[in-house]
Amino acid sequence: MILTNDTTRLALTAACFAAYGVTCFLPWLRMRRKRAAAGTADPAGWIVAYASQTGNGEELAQQTAATLRLAGIGVRVMELGDVSAQALQGAERALFIASTYGEGDAPDGGAAFAGKLMTRSLPLPRLHYGVLALGDSSYAHFCGFGRALDGWLAAQGAQPLFPRVEVDRGATADLAPWRQQLSHLAGTSDAPDWEAPAFTPWRLARRRVLNPGSAGAPVYHIELEPAAGALPAWQSGDLVQVVPPAQADRPREYSIASVPADGCVHLLVRLHRHDDGSTGIASGWLCQHAEEGALVPLRLRPHRRFRLEDNAARPLILIGNGSGIAGLRGHLRARVAAGQGRNWLLFGERQRAHDLHYGDELMAWQEQGMLARLDLAFSRDGAGRGYVQDLLAPAADLLRTWIADGAAVYVCGSLEGMAGGVDQALRGILGDDAVEALAAGGRYRRDVY
Ligand SMILES: Cc1cc2nc3c(=O)[nH]c(=O)nc-3n(C[C@H](O)[C@H](O)[C@H](O)COP(=O)(O)O)c2cc1C
């Protein structure tokens, strides 16, 4: 209580209270705004972190977060590479969704976390966690990265909320324990719909061999149209999943080589042959057994990590080999449609005479100023033969100039040999830090398989 009638003193006291209030309120307001902007309105909320290459893990992370939010739990969804040591040490609950690539390795978006945090000790006594590991049991290191992550968390003193859940080739039945645990943790039984979009019938409209006379396996350009209804939207960089009739539980993924303005989905499929001469189940069906006009169960899959997105206005350096031209062609077609000609394609195959897929189109784009530079490597063409990664060192100065001009790098094709070789060459020219900064800034994107 203020026992005075002196109006000056009263006014001064009121001013002091007001100033105190402003001093306390403004930082609070600032912090609130910052948290709201970062989507972290509840600082005590859960972390849902994903390491996903082609988006399955990311989609499951979003569905996991939606289930928790339904129960009123605050959630931060983050790519694993964005989870810092401090964030982890400050968190009490975290759910990790981790796919595996290479030979038991982390996907690109988890590589920095694996390299920087999982190689050291980081006490996590406060953390309670769960791991959903995605993989494919036909690989030697099934769920290798999810298992390594789980092991590392436990070794840091973090407490598992429940045993690791492993999912083989996206099997719905394998996911059930994860959903059960979530419902239990969230105290809710009405989880949102987790069903992936249904496969719908598409018509195999046209098919042609792209590399007649090649010493390698035949590569087919295949065009598919929806059997009914309008063409759905997609972006260059996206994928499709196709279900071969003989293996309904194992959809195959292919990069889309066209844009919606083309009126249909273009795929580039290499016919796979086993040692005994028999053809691969999916490629044999798509390339040979299915007649033109046949119906193909298909669904589109957004591949956010390989889309143009913020890079749409940048110069593009596109690097790939073999059937990897499919994903790069999708981007080139998008760029041509947008009238952006600052594109540099580096492509490798076996023989120029047979294996320069879409060669006429590439030459036409060069003439129209839509392909600023085209570098080609042919591994079976006698003198001067080499691989696409060998094209980078001789063009090092130009590469540095393009990167300095803000270019983004997209790599599509073989994981074995090509992707590692290209990565090494880029690191040799630009330095490790620069390559990692490009990856962290979304300017180095890969669709490798
Ligand atoms: C090139 C390549 C390598 C892979 N290596 C492995 C592996 O070593 N172990 C494994 O369990 N799964 C492996 N997989 C399977 C993926 O982990 C699995 O398809 C996963 O569901 C992909 O999820 P994502 O879309 O979140 O990246 C590999 C897949 C590809 C394309």
Side-chain angles (χ1 to χ4, degrees):
M1 218 173 167
I2 300 160
L3 298 172
T4 177
N5 284 331
D6 179 337
T7 48
T8 316
R9 284 178 70 188
L10 270 176
L12 267 174
T13 312
C16 281
F17 272 113
Y20 177 71
V22 167
T23 324
C24 297
F25 180 68
L26 277 184
W28 174 81
L29 198 68
R30 244 180 263 132
M31 189 179 72
R32 231 178 75 118
R33 281 216 193 107
K34 219 163 136 188
R35 280 196 190 132
T40 59
D42 179 359
W46 296 42
I47 291 177
V48 173
Y50 62 87
S52 166
Q53 192 74 29
T54 62
N56 292 302
E58 184 177 353
E59 208 170 302
L60 287 167
Q62 296 297 353
Q63 288 165 336
T64 295
T67 304
L68 295 175
R69 287 191 185 116
L70 204 71
I73 297 171
V75 185
R76 280 182 283 174
V77 181
M78 307 170 83
E79 184 154 44
L80 189 62
D82 294 333
V83 178
S84 65
Q86 294 91 311
L88 216 48
Q89 288 189 302
E92 288 184 7
R93 290 183 184 245
L95 297 178
F96 297 89
I97 291 120
S99 303
T100 293
Y101 276 83
E103 289 172 19
D105 304 328
D108 287 348
F113 185 96
K116 289 190 181 135
L117 295 190
M118 286 171 62
T119 46
R120 65 173 171 108
S121 96
L122 183 76
L124 298 170
R126 283 158 52 97
L127 185 67
H128 294 75
Y129 74 97
V131 172
L132 177 65
L134 307 185
D136 179 335
S137 58
S138 65
Y139 286 91
H141 304 277
F142 176 53
C143 288
F145 180 60
R147 290 179 184 179
L149 177 63
D150 188 17
W152 178 78
L153 289 164
Q156 310 315 308
Q159 310 288 320
L161 291 159
F162 49 84
R164 178 181 64 247
V165 175
E166 296 185 344
V167 178
D168 190 7
R169 298 172 194 158
T172 316
D174 292 351
L175 262 177
W178 181 259
R179 297 200 62 190
Q180 260 162 19
Q181 291 293 350
L182 273 185
S183 300
H184 174 67
L185 293 167
T188 169
S189 56
D190 55 345
D193 185 12
W194 278 47
E195 290 303 309
F199 287 91
T200 56
W202 287 56
R203 182 160 284 107
L204 197 163
R206 284 163 291 277
R207 176 172 62 202
R208 67 188 159 91
V209 181
L210 280 178
N211 60 345
S214 172
V219 169
Y220 289 81
H221 168 89
I222 295 173
E223 300 189 4
L224 297 143
E225 297 163 350
L231 188 72
W234 72 86
Q235 291 186 28
S236 64
D238 285 350
L239 306 163
V240 294
Q241 283 186 327
V242 168
V243 187
Q247 249 182 355
D249 60 334
R250 260 202 88 183
R252 306 297 203 278
E253 276 182 354
Y254 299 95
S255 309
I256 305 177
S258 58
V259 290
D262 293 317
C264 56
V265 158
H266 296 179
L267 305 182
L268 191 151
V269 181
R270 191 184 292 277
L271 179 66
H272 181 73
R273 269 196 201 283
H274 301 293
D275 292 343
D276 65 1
S278 62
T279 56
I281 290 179
S283 68
W285 173 59
L286 282 171
C287 298
Q288 292 191 328
H289 309 312
E291 304 280 332
E292 282 192 6
L295 295 182
V296 174
L298 181 149
R299 72 178 173 211
L300 298 171
R301 287 240 308 113
H303 189 188
R304 292 192 180 84
R305 293 189 59 80
F306 200 66
R307 285 180 171 180
L308 291 181
E309 293 192 327
D310 295 348
N311 296 325
R314 295 178 179 277
L316 285 194
I317 302 171
L318 305 155
I319 307 172
N321 69 338
S323 58
I325 192 72
L328 304 179
R329 179 182 184 249
H331 285 323
L332 280 168
R333 291 186 78 77
R335 299 279 283 186
V336 170
Q340 283 164 315
R342 191 100 194 265
N343 306 303
W344 175 6
L345 175 67
L346 301 102
F347 176 68
E349 249 286 3
R350 285 184 166 181
Q351 291 179 291
R352 187 185 181 109
H354 306 289
D355 303 313
L356 179 50
H357 315 310
Y358 304 112
D360 293 346
E361 188 175 75
L362 297 176
M363 301 307 153
W365 284 336
Q366 264 201 305
E367 273 172 31
Q368 294 157 16
M370 284 293 134
L371 190 52
R373 188 176 162 118
L374 174 63
D375 286 306
L376 300 168
F378 294 99
S379 59
R380 307 272 173 109
D381 265 357
R385 63 196 186 177
Y387 298 102
V388 68
Q389 55 267 40
D390 304 327
L391 297 170
L392 288 165
D397 287 340
L398 193 66
L399 185 86
R400 284 190 210 97
T401 307
W402 275 58
I403 295 294
D405 290 348
V409 181
Y410 283 74
V411 181
C412 192
S414 317
L415 178 71
E416 224 166 274
M418 191 277 297
V422 167
D423 190 72
Q424 243 180 357
L426 290 174
R427 286 170 188 272
I429 296 164
L430 304 170
D432 288 342
D433 289 350
V435 170
E436 274 149 35
L438 286 175
R443 283 172 60 196
Y444 177 26
R445 298 179 180 227
R446 308 196 304 169
D447 176 8
V448 293
Y449 42 84

